Structure formats: C-alpha cells, structure tokens
Amino acid sequence: MEAKRKELLQILVNAEGRMTAQELACHLNVSSRTVRNYIGVINSEHKNLVKSSNKGYILDKGRAKKLITESTLSIPVTQDDRVLFILKRLVQTGSIDIYDISEALMVSPETIKKDLSLVKEGLINNNLFVNQKNGTLVIDGAERDKRSLLGKLLSGEFNNGLLNVEVLEDLFPAFDLVSLKNTIKDICEKHGYFVNDYALLNLVLEIAIELDRIEHDFMQSERHIYLSDFSSDELSLVNELATRIESDYNVSYSDSERKALANIVLGNLTKIDYSSLSSEGLKDVLDSKTIQLILGLKTEMRKWNLFDVDNDTFIVKFSLHIKNLLVRLEGDYELKNPLTKQIKHSCPLIFEHAVELANAISKFTGKKVGEDESTFLALHIGSIMGESDYLNNHIKCVFYVPSYYDFSQGLIGKTEKVFGKDLVVNQVVSSVDDIDTKNNDFLINVGPLLYNTSLYEVQITPFFTKNDERTIQNAIEKNRVLKRRIYLRDHLNELTEPGLFFKVMDKSKSDVLRFMCNNLRKKRYVHQNFYNDVLERESQSATAFGQVAVPHSFNMDAEKTSLEIVLSEKGIKWDKDNTVNIVLLFAIKKEERAIFFNIFDSIVTGLMDPKLIRSVSESHSLDEFVEKLISHFVSS
C-alpha cells in the first residue's frame, strides 16, 4: 500500500464527519491537489470508496478498514515506497535483478538506479551492504542483521496499530501463527512468566521471520552467546519453546539459533509474581549492571521533581522493564510499539521525559534506544505521573456562603467529592470583605451575585443540583483556559524578542538549525557547542510533532532561557515522515526547566490543529505570532 494513501484513509476512518481537501492536505503535509490525486487513484481501484461533496470527503469505513489492514492498494509509486519495497525484497530473497524490479514497479531501470543510493543508505544504517554486478544486487552482512531489518520493515508497514496475528498470517501463510501465539502464552504461564500483548505480537513476528529464514536456508552462522545471565528456569522455558516449535513447524534449531531465540524471548518476559516484589527484593533478580543503570535513571528522574521516584510499585515495574530492555539492546532487537505516534503527539511532555531517559540509557550502553522503546518508557513514566499532582491542573476557588446559611460544610463536601481532582476549595467566607482575590481563581457564590469582585464569579443554589455541577464544571474549564493563556502569554513575552523571530524560504533542516544556533550564540544566550548539543538531542528522537519542530539540548545549560522562532509557509523537511512549518528552538537554563516543560506541552498540543498551524505560520511579526497562538489556545 502506498503509505500516504493509506494514511489518508486512516485519517478519514478516524474523522467524525466530512473533511475538506485542505484539511486533509494539512494532516498529510501535501497540497490539496495531491489529496485529490490520491483520492482519484483510490476510487479508480476501489469504486466509490471515498465520496465527495461541496462539504468535503467521507468514506465507507468498513471497506476502508479492511483495505488498510490487508494493505491491498496499488504498487509503490513514490521513491520512499520503492526504496522500502526494494529493501524488503533484497532481505527476503538475498538478491534481485534491477530490470526485474523495474518491470515489477513499472518504472525505468534508470529510476531504480537513482533509488539505489537510498537503498544502500538504509542497508548501511543496519550494518548491511549491497554488491552490484551486471545488473544484479546482492545483500551482504550478518543474518541476524538481515532478520532485524526485515522485522523493522514489516512492522513499519503498520504505523496505525493495525498489526495483528491475522495480518501476520497473511505475510507468512505457511505457518499457523495463532497456534504459535497460544503456545508462547501457555509455556510462559507454565514457567511463571507474563508477556504483554505488544511484546507477544512482536515475538510472533520475530519467530515467524526466524522460521521463514530457516525454511529458506538462511541460517545464522554467527557464533551466538547468551546476552544475560539467564536463570536455569528461563533457559528451560526457551528450550521447551524451541522443542515445541521444532515439532510443530518441522524445523531444526542449531545451537546458534536456539541462543538467538533465548535472547529474543527472554527480553520480553516478566515474572508473573512481580506484584509481590519490593524495591528491596529487586537486588535478588537484577544483575549489577542493571542496578547501576537504574540508580542513574532514578537520579535523572529526581531532577524533574514531578513524582515519587521511589514509589515501590513504579520502581519494581520500571526496573524489570529496564532489565528486559538491556537484553534487547545487547541483541540489537527493538520491541515495536504501535502507540508511538499517538503517545508522542498526544502526550509530548511525557514522551520528552522518556527520550531523556532513553538518551541516558544510550550513553550507558553505547546502544541507540529507538522511539518505540522510548514509548514503553513513556508508558511507565505516564503511569506514575498520572497518579501525581503534576497532571492534575487544580483550580483554586473561594466559596461565598452568606452567614444565614448553616449548610456550608455539606455543600462544600459535595463539591469536593465531585471535583476533587480539578478543584481546590481554598477559602470559605461569609463576608465579601474577606474574599482573597489574589490567591483564588474564581468565586462560587451561594447567595446573590456580587458583580463587583475582580474574580470570575458563578452562582449556584444551596442544593447542589445537576445544573450547579455543570455551572462549576464550566467555570473550571474557563479558568483553566484563562490561566494557561496568561501563563503562555507572560512566558512567551519573557523568552522571546523580535530579534529571535524569522521567516525563511527554501532552507534545509541543517541550515535552519545552524542559523538559529549561531544567532543565539551571537547574542551570548548559549555556549559554543550548543549546535552540536541540539543535533545530539535530534539524533535520539526527531523533535518534529506533525508540522511543528521543537529542537533543544538535553543539557539545559544556556546562559539565558530563550525561544527562537522560524516560520516557513513552504515547509522544511525535518525527517522522513514530517515537513514542518514552525520551528521553535529552546535554549534553557537548568533552574528554569519547569518553564520549558510547561510551555513545551502547551504549544505542542495546541499546534496539533492543522488550522492553527496554517494561521500561525502566516504570521509576519512576533506579536502577531503570539496573539494568534494565544487566541486559538483551548483547554487540553
């Protein structure tokens, strides 16, 4: 399936109603004309799948979901899709003929030859190479690296979380993968281990690749060693699984293949009785290297000052995850996560903290921790942050209850019970003169409206009716929006200045970043190595969130906390998936990191709206940029 057309269908599947060509173009980072071309191709192959009117496009969601899952749209037409097709074919077959591929893809051999530079780059990035002779391409490298690349290519085709066992069976029809899935679960449970759904699906994919490679005589000749000090029970589990697979699928595991299987499987399992573990008991199940890393990660997390890092439940689950992650990194095996794009875009702040940890792990191990693995770290961080006050944006209110009412405690108790996660009753008064207007966000009045206070005021009855609940809920939402707007406006005005606002045309990512970093250095806001530090952060995980990029340094050692803004109506190619129209380069002092995180979260989530992106990117001055951003900001 051509990736952009698949993405277009997925956007329409998720849409609540019709979408215009312009709205789809914003989501896809293409022109409206290209959107219409995509839809024309789709409808030519699948009659009336996408229906249009003057109000926009809508589709047959049932048919579309089936098409997305089965990936049955036409052959690759873009260069990126051709490159992925060639890479997959090379790994699967070992060699390909340029002229056969050009015929299969219905392009000229010269076009294929132009694609080969990207094919070679994709192979080199995975420790593989290609030899070319007389029009034939032959892949060269270790079998383990070929399998690793094939796993990335196959899982990469299912960026919307649509990968499931049924889809895998379409890819590997020779194997009963439903049975394999159940076998893995049964043997894990028998030995007292748990494998979550994501890890289980990844295991089925990896073992299916392994079976297919063995069946086609692509054997691992490399000498494998166990990547961890696995216990006798863990090795017993793997041996039983290997024996069962050999019996069910008529294959034979060499010693090298069996060790490779152990490294894959045991990097994804958790002891079922982890709930009975305490942080003190972890030293009995973790090796010294893992303990050393976890101590370092705890130090990093304490700097955030966001939650109780020593929470027993959190640290046990987190530590067991890190143990498995180290095994996967040692074996150059990454656990795929279908939630990566969703978590990165909907929870950018949590994802950013996960990337910080991923960077620390990368430095500790010398191995790159990819975005999918970072997403699993984000799930652990998010689980504990969700329990802390960090994600609970409390609003403070004052209750004005005239003294002739004697039921204030009951009324306030009901209010706190319903709105306890959002609202703090900061003050209860019976005299207007006692109202603290500085330390409260709004006034709940049980008597007649006062009108003359500076606080936002709502009136409720003494009986706390459903209508009263709605009134208070609306007041909370309005105050939350107002507070965040004020916070954003105040800090944006502090962080930026006209000399940090630019509009550019036809600039590359590297040119834009170099220009922005040099400008900050000339102002003496950052040190000489800031550009390299920004590139280091970028290499860990691209900082593009849809059409906005938020580059920065991990180190947060700026001389002055500042924000530099570059707008590009044409767009800047940021990575293979994103063209951005807005670049926000942050330079942060350590002691002001909280300002960065608060603004970062608000801006990124706000700029997920394509209409706001389009409006803001057309700004001609800093003041116009700030006003457009603030005026469009809504509660998240």
Side-chain angles (χ1 to χ4, degrees):
M1 176 184 289
E2 201 275 318
K4 283 292 186 183
R5 276 182 268 159
K6 176 181 173 181
E7 188 177 353
L8 183 151
L9 289 180
Q10 188 63 53
I11 291 168
L12 286 173
V13 165
N14 294 334
E16 293 183 0
R18 294 181 181 271
M19 292 187 70
T20 65
Q22 193 172 26
E23 289 172 334
L24 287 167
C26 287
H27 279 285
L28 294 166
N29 289 335
V30 298
S31 67
S32 298
R33 181 179 179 181
T34 301
V35 167
R36 289 190 287 272
N37 288 339
Y38 286 160
I39 291 172
V41 172
I42 292 171
N43 282 336
S44 70
E45 298 173 358
H46 306 278
K47 190 175 180 180
N48 295 327
L49 179 63
V50 184
K51 298 177 182 178
S52 64
S53 72
N54 57 359
K55 293 182 179 179
Y57 294 104
I58 197 168
L59 49 64
D60 183 333
K61 292 190 177 183
R63 287 173 63 201
K65 288 178 181 178
K66 190 172 187 292
L67 279 173
I68 295 169
T69 303
E70 294 175 352
S71 298
T72 58
L73 289 186
S74 64
I75 61 174
V77 292
T78 67
Q79 185 181 49
D80 286 345
D81 290 318
R82 287 196 305 272
V83 168
L84 291 176
F85 180 91
I86 294 170
L87 281 170
K88 189 164 67 172
R89 183 68 65 87
L90 257 178
V91 178
Q92 288 176 324
T93 62
S95 66
I96 58 174
D97 183 275
I98 289 177
Y99 298 96
D100 290 343
I101 285 292
S102 69
E103 186 176 333
L105 297 180
M106 294 192 291
V107 294
S108 69
E110 287 68 31
T111 299
I112 297 297
K113 290 175 183 177
K114 291 177 183 177
D115 296 338
L116 290 184
S117 61
L118 293 177
V119 171
K120 292 175 181 178
E121 182 182 333
L123 291 172
I124 290 171
N125 290 338
N126 290 275
N127 304 313
L128 296 168
F129 306 92
V130 65
N131 297 314
Q132 184 176 350
K133 186 176 181 180
N134 298 328
T136 299
L137 305 177
V138 180
I139 192 170
D140 187 20
E143 173 64 17
R144 62 184 289 184
D145 292 324
K146 294 174 187 176
R147 295 184 187 184
S148 175
L149 175 56
L150 185 56
K152 293 175 184 176
L153 293 172
L154 291 176
S155 62
E157 295 178 359
F158 304 93
N159 293 327
N160 294 304
L162 295 170
L163 184 61
N164 53 48
V165 172
E166 289 72 25
V167 171
L168 288 179
E169 285 200 314
D170 290 338
L171 294 173
F172 301 96
F175 309 114
D176 182 354
L177 299 185
V178 173
S179 176
L180 175 61
K181 174 185 173 183
N182 293 331
T183 296
I184 295 170
K185 287 181 67 175
D186 291 345
I187 292 176
C188 287
E189 289 177 8
K190 175 182 174 181
H191 287 265
Y193 286 85
F194 169 74
V195 55
N196 67 54
D197 289 340
Y198 298 142
L200 179 58
L201 194 58
N202 276 274
L203 282 177
V204 172
L205 171 60
E206 294 294 331
I207 294 174
I209 291 172
E210 188 176 60
L211 291 173
D212 185 68
R213 301 293 287 179
I214 292 172
E215 188 173 79
H216 289 87
D217 295 323
F218 292 112
M219 306 295 291
Q220 298 206 58
S221 59
E222 307 91 48
R223 181 174 176 270
H224 277 272
I225 60 172
Y226 292 122
L227 300 177
S228 181
D229 295 326
F230 297 131
S231 68
S232 59
D233 189 54
E234 289 172 327
L235 295 179
S236 174
L237 182 157
V238 172
N239 286 329
E240 182 176 343
L241 178 59
T243 300
R244 180 72 175 273
I245 291 173
E246 287 177 325
S247 172
D248 290 348
Y249 300 97
N250 194 29
V251 296
S252 179
Y253 276 108
S254 65
D255 180 63
S256 182
E257 294 283 8
R258 194 172 287 246
K259 287 179 178 176
L261 177 67
N263 293 331
I264 291 172
V265 171
L266 296 174
N268 290 288
L269 305 186
T270 303
K271 267 288 188 182
I272 285 178
D273 60 353
Y274 72 85
S275 58
S276 64
L277 268 178
S278 66
S279 54
E280 284 296 315
L282 283 172
K283 62 180 180 295
D284 297 325
V285 296
L286 302 179
D287 58 80
S288 58
K289 181 181 178 181
T290 304
I291 291 173
Q292 181 185 353
L293 174 58
I294 290 168
L295 289 174
L297 296 178
K298 287 174 70 175
T299 299
E300 289 297 314
M301 289 186 285
R302 285 195 181 94
K303 293 177 184 176
W304 304 341
N305 196 30
L306 296 176
F307 54 81
D308 179 12
V309 175
D310 296 308
N311 178 286
D312 226 48
T313 301
F314 165 74
I315 205 61
V316 167
K317 292 180 180 178
F318 181 74
S319 298
L320 293 174
H321 177 81
I322 296 299
K323 174 178 182 270
N324 290 346
L325 173 57
L326 289 179
V327 174
R328 293 195 293 274
L329 290 176
E330 193 67 31
D332 296 318
Y333 167 64
E334 182 177 45
L335 192 58
K336 288 82 180 177
N337 194 322
L339 297 177
T340 295
K341 186 175 181 180
Q342 179 184 347
I343 296 294
K344 183 176 181 179
H345 286 194
S346 62
C347 308
L349 182 56
I350 292 176
F351 190 82
E352 179 60 29
H353 283 98
V355 171
E356 278 197 44
L357 294 189
N359 184 60
I361 296 168
S362 293
K363 288 183 176 180
F364 182 85
T365 62
K367 301 276 189 176
K368 174 71 180 292
V369 178
E371 284 196 340
D372 283 347
E373 291 286 10
S374 295
T375 303
F376 283 108
L377 295 173
L379 293 174
H380 283 273
I381 296 168
S383 69
I384 186 68
M385 286 173 70
E387 296 173 4
S388 71
D389 286 338
Y390 171 74
L391 293 181
N392 298 328
N393 188 13
H394 284 101
I395 301 294
K396 296 177 182 178
C397 76
V398 52
F399 250 98
Y400 173 64
V401 186
S403 57
Y404 54 84
Y405 292 141
D406 60 0
F407 45 77
S408 61
Q409 290 304 314
L411 182 61
I412 293 165
K414 291 177 183 177
T415 304
E416 290 179 327
K417 182 178 180 180
V418 174
F419 298 106
K421 291 183 178 180
D422 302 299
L423 189 68
V424 173
V425 178
N426 198 42
Q427 190 184 19
V428 181
V429 300
S430 56
S431 169
V432 176
D433 296 334
D434 294 332
I435 296 175
D436 184 349
T437 58
K438 290 184 178 180
N439 296 307
N440 288 296
D441 298 310
F442 78 102
L443 166 69
I444 299 178
N445 191 341
V446 189
L449 286 174
L450 303 176
Y451 296 111
N452 58 349
T453 71
S454 59
L455 289 176
Y456 178 78
E457 181 182 359
V458 297
Q459 184 183 37
I460 65 171
T461 72
F463 313 111
F464 199 70
T465 64
K466 287 293 182 183
N467 190 53
D468 293 332
E469 284 189 36
R470 286 191 291 270
T471 298
I472 295 174
Q473 183 64 57
N474 289 336
I476 291 171
E477 294 305 320
K478 286 181 180 179
N479 273 270
R480 183 174 287 134
V481 171
L482 180 61
K483 285 183 72 175
R484 300 191 80 176
R485 280 179 174 168
I486 292 171
Y487 185 93
L488 262 182
R489 187 190 301 277
D490 288 348
H491 284 90
L492 284 174
N493 288 334
E494 288 175 11
L495 296 181
T496 193
E497 57 194 59
L500 296 177
F501 177 86
F502 304 94
K503 299 202 74 169
V504 301
M505 294 288 290
D506 298 323
K507 293 287 186 180
S508 67
K509 172 183 176 180
S510 58
D511 288 341
V512 168
L513 284 178
R514 186 176 284 107
F515 166 78
M516 297 177 81
C517 292
N518 285 342
N519 187 53
L520 288 176
R521 194 156 64 86
K522 287 176 184 176
K523 291 178 175 291
R524 297 184 179 179
Y525 293 170
V526 298
H527 57 75
Q528 189 170 354
N529 293 324
F530 183 67
Y531 174 67
N532 291 328
D533 290 345
V534 170
L535 292 185
E536 180 188 359
R537 164 63 187 84
E538 203 68 33
S539 68
Q540 182 65 51
S541 172
T543 55
F545 297 83
Q547 292 170 262
V548 58
V550 194
H552 55 279
S553 164
F554 279 124
N555 296 329
M556 297 194 179
D557 54 1
E559 295 297 325
K560 180 182 184 299
T561 297
S562 53
L563 170 62
E564 189 170 9
I565 302 162
V566 162
L567 305 183
S568 171
E569 291 184 47
K570 183 177 179 180
I572 302 162
K573 185 68 175 176
W574 203 258
D575 55 40
K576 65 183 181 69
D577 297 319
N578 295 288
T579 297
V580 304
N581 299 98
I582 301 172
V583 182
L584 306 172
L585 175 62
F586 280 91
I588 309 296
K589 295 174 69 173
K590 266 192 173 67
E591 55 269 29
E592 293 177 328
R593 62 185 292 148
I595 295 174
F596 162 67
F597 285 133
N598 280 318
I599 289 183
F600 173 86
D601 194 49
S602 295
I603 289 179
V604 172
T605 53
L607 289 174
M608 285 295 104
D609 180 357
K611 292 180 181 178
L612 178 55
I613 284 279
R614 186 167 60 252
S615 172
V616 168
S617 63
E618 294 171 352
S619 300
H620 296 287
S621 68
L622 177 61
D623 288 343
E624 184 182 355
F625 172 87
V626 172
E627 287 307 312
K628 283 183 175 180
L629 184 62
I630 298 300
S631 64
H632 282 79
F633 190 79
V634 295
S635 177
S636 60

